[in-house]
Amino acid sequence: MQGNTIHRKKIIRFNHIKLVGVSIIISIICCIISYSLKHLTGHLQEYLFEKTISIESRLFIFLPSIGITAIYFLRKYFFQNRKNKGIKEIYTTLETRKDHLPFFKIPSHYINGFLTVLFGGSTGIEVSTVVATATVGNQAYKYLFAARAYKRELICAGIIAGVTVLFASALGGFLFAFEVIARRYNKTLLISGISSMLVANVFVYYFDPSPLFSFKIQQWHWQAIPFVVILGLIGGIFAIFFTKIAIYAKTFFGRINNDFIRINVGAITVGVLIFFLPALYGDSYHELGKILDSSSSGSVSLVNFITLVLLILIKPVAASLTLGAGGDGGVFAPSIVTGAFLGIFFAQFCNHYWGTHLIIINFALFGAAAMLSAAIHAPFSAIFIISSLVLSGYLLLVPLLIIAFISKMLAKKIYQYNIYTYKETTSS
C-alpha cells in the first residue's frame, strides 16, 4: 500500500514538472505571438492613419471595407468558411475535454485581428490575441496531455502570456486568466499560471517594458473619492450601454443574408464615422494619447466638450458595427478607450464648471477601469491592466479598486434587473 502511495506521488510530481515545462514553452510562443501582433498592428495602423490624412481623408470611408472584405475572403477560401466567435470559443472548448480549439484559430485570429484594426475597424487586437494564445495552449494539451485534466491550465498559460505582453502587466494577465477564463483556483492552475506569468514578465522586462502611454502618475488626493464614486456609477451604466449596442448590432447584421451588403453596410458606416471623428480609427490608443496630451494643458472649450461627448457615445457604436460587419475583435480596447474619454470629459467638466482640481490623467484611467471592469466582469484584472498603461500607475490602486468594484456591481445589478424584468414580462 505504501509503495503504491509513493509511486502515485512520483507520477503526480512528474506531471507537475512536465506541466511547468510545457507552460514555459507555451508562454514563450505566446509572448512572441502577442508581441509581434501588438507592434506590427500598432506601427502600421499609425502609419496608414497618418498617410491617409496627408493624402485624402475621404479614404477613411472605404478603408474598413477593405479590411473586413479581405477577412471575408480569407475566411471563405483559406479558413474553409469557419467563423471566429471570440472568447466564447474558449468557454465552449473548456466545457468538454474532447472539444478543441483547432490550430487554424492561431493564424485566423492573428491575421483577422491585424486586418480589422489596420484598416480602421474600431476595435482592438486583444480578443484576437487571447483566442490565438488560448489555441496554442489547447494544442499543447491535445498532443502532450490528451489523457490528463490539464486543458484549462495550458489554455490559461497561453492567455496569461498574451495579455501580459499586450499591457506589460504580469498580474493583469494572470488575474484576467483566472477571473475571466478559468473562473476557479486550484494547485495545477496556479502552477501553470505562475510559470507562464514569470516567463512573460521576463520577456516584457527585456523586450517590451514601455507602458502604452508615456504619462507618469504623480499623486492623487482623497478629496477626489466622491468624484471617483460618481464616475464609477456612470461607467457602469455606459458599459451596459455598450453591451446592449453590441448585442443589437450582432442581431441586426445576423439577419442580413447577403454577405456583400452585410460587410459594406457596417464597414462603410464605420468609415463615415471615422471620416468625421478620426479618433475612432482602429483601437484609438494613439489618438487617446494625443487627447490626453492636449488635455494636460488645462484649457478647455466647447469644441473639446462636444468632441469628447461624441467619442464617448459613438466609439461603442463604431466598435459594434465593426464586429457586426465581420471584423475580428471584442469590447476590450473600445471599453478602455471609451472609459478614458469619459473620465477626461468628467474631470474637465467638473474643473471648468464646479471649480474642482481633478487630475485629468488620473480620471482618464479611472474611467477606463470602470468601463473595462463592468464590461468583462473582472475588477481585479481591470485594476492591474489599467495601472500598467502609464508610468507609476500603481499609485492609483486604491481609487482604481473603488471604481472598478462600483462599476462592476452596478452593471451586474442592472443586468440582473433586466433579466428579471424580461422574465416577468414574458411570463405574464
Side-chain angles (χ1 to χ4, degrees):
M1 180 70 73
Q2 187 177 0
N4 290 337
T5 303
I6 294 172
H7 180 65
R8 190 174 69 179
K9 286 183 178 179
K10 285 183 177 179
I11 292 174
I12 292 172
R13 191 179 301 115
F14 171 77
N15 287 334
H16 287 174
I17 293 171
K18 184 178 179 182
L19 179 61
V20 170
V22 175
S23 297
I24 289 172
I25 294 170
I26 289 170
S27 183
I28 293 170
I29 295 170
C30 292
C31 283
I32 295 170
I33 289 173
S34 183
Y35 178 86
S36 61
L37 182 57
K38 172 185 175 180
H39 289 283
L40 185 66
T41 305
H43 290 313
L44 292 181
Q45 173 194 201
E46 186 178 340
Y47 173 80
L48 185 57
F49 177 82
E50 298 294 344
K51 205 72 174 174
T52 304
I53 286 181
S54 63
I55 296 173
E56 176 53 75
S57 59
R58 281 176 292 188
L59 290 173
F60 282 134
I61 297 172
F62 306 103
L63 284 180
S65 287
I66 296 173
I68 297 177
T69 300
I71 289 171
Y72 168 76
F73 283 111
L74 281 170
R75 180 182 298 136
K76 185 173 182 178
Y77 296 108
F78 190 71
F79 298 120
Q80 301 176 355
N81 210 27
R82 292 176 290 186
K83 295 182 179 180
N84 293 332
K85 299 178 181 178
I87 290 179
K88 181 182 177 182
E89 299 171 276
I90 302 174
Y91 295 141
T92 301
T93 198
L94 287 174
E95 290 173 0
T96 172
R97 185 176 297 181
K98 293 182 180 180
D99 186 30
H100 296 291
L101 292 167
F103 182 82
F104 87 90
K105 291 290 180 184
I106 300 172
S108 174
H109 277 282
Y110 189 103
I111 296 169
N112 292 354
F114 169 72
L115 290 173
T116 299
V117 178
L118 173 65
F119 288 99
S122 200
T123 181
I125 59 166
E126 290 81 7
V127 171
S128 301
T129 304
V130 167
V131 182
T133 52
T135 304
V136 174
N138 194 174
Q139 289 295 305
Y141 162 82
K142 181 179 177 181
Y143 291 105
L144 299 174
F145 287 96
R148 298 181 174 85
Y150 290 152
K151 185 179 191 177
R152 193 178 301 266
E153 285 80 353
L154 298 178
I155 285 176
C156 286
I159 292 170
I160 287 169
V163 176
T164 294
V165 173
L166 282 180
F167 296 103
S169 173
L171 276 175
F174 182 82
L175 291 168
F176 176 82
F178 279 85
E179 275 190 295
V180 180
I181 305 301
R183 298 177 178 178
R184 67 179 69 164
Y185 292 85
N186 60 42
K187 184 178 180 180
T188 52
L189 276 168
L190 289 172
I191 288 172
S192 64
I194 292 172
S195 301
S196 178
M197 180 182 70
L198 292 175
V199 171
N201 194 45
V202 171
F203 184 94
V204 168
Y205 180 82
Y206 284 104
F207 296 102
D208 200 19
S210 301
L212 191 60
F213 302 107
S214 59
F215 304 97
K216 185 175 183 179
I217 299 302
Q218 301 289 346
Q219 59 184 340
W220 69 276
H221 304 287
W222 284 100
Q223 294 89 331
I225 291 297
F227 297 96
V228 170
V229 172
I230 295 170
L231 181 59
L233 296 173
I234 299 172
I237 294 170
F238 265 91
I240 292 293
F241 164 70
F242 191 172
T243 303
K244 291 283 188 183
I245 291 175
I247 293 171
Y248 177 79
K250 182 179 180 181
T251 304
F252 174 79
F253 284 99
R255 293 171 181 165
I256 302 175
N257 296 322
N258 187 295
D259 294 324
F260 177 81
I261 294 174
R262 184 180 66 252
I263 291 170
N264 286 286
V265 165
I268 290 178
T269 304
V270 172
V272 171
L273 293 175
I274 293 171
F275 173 71
F276 289 105
L277 285 171
L280 296 172
Y281 191 93
D283 54 30
S284 298
Y285 288 143
H286 181 66
E287 292 305 299
L288 172 58
K290 289 182 179 180
I291 290 173
L292 279 169
D293 193 44
S294 63
S295 300
S296 62
S297 63
S299 60
V300 295
S301 66
L302 183 61
V303 174
N304 290 338
F305 282 145
I306 293 174
T307 301
L308 283 171
V309 169
L310 290 174
L311 289 171
I312 293 164
L313 294 174
I314 297 177
K315 181 65 180 179
V317 175
S320 300
L321 289 170
T322 299
L323 299 175
D328 206 77
V331 301
F332 221 109
S335 294
I336 292 174
V337 171
T338 303
F341 289 146
L342 178 63
I344 295 169
F345 171 78
F346 180 81
Q348 287 186 340
F349 184 89
C350 292
N351 290 346
H352 187 73
Y353 291 104
W354 293 346
T356 57
H357 300 282
L358 305 180
I359 302 173
I360 302 297
I361 180 62
N362 290 6
F363 272 79
L365 296 178
F366 298 156
M371 282 283 290
L372 183 60
S373 174
I376 65 175
H377 305 288
F380 288 110
S381 303
I383 291 165
F384 287 97
I385 286 173
I386 299 304
S387 66
S388 71
L389 297 181
V390 296
L391 295 167
S392 304
Y394 61 87
L395 294 175
L396 301 177
L397 285 180
V398 172
L400 285 173
L401 181 69
I402 293 170
I403 199 166
F405 273 93
I406 287 175
S407 62
K408 189 254 185 179
M409 293 306 297
L410 177 62
K412 183 179 178 181
K413 290 291 184 184
I414 294 173
Y415 177 73
Q416 290 174 340
Y417 173 77
N418 286 340
I419 291 178
Y420 175 77
T421 304
Y422 175 76
K423 288 180 178 179
E424 287 291 304
T425 303
T426 54
S427 62
S428 60

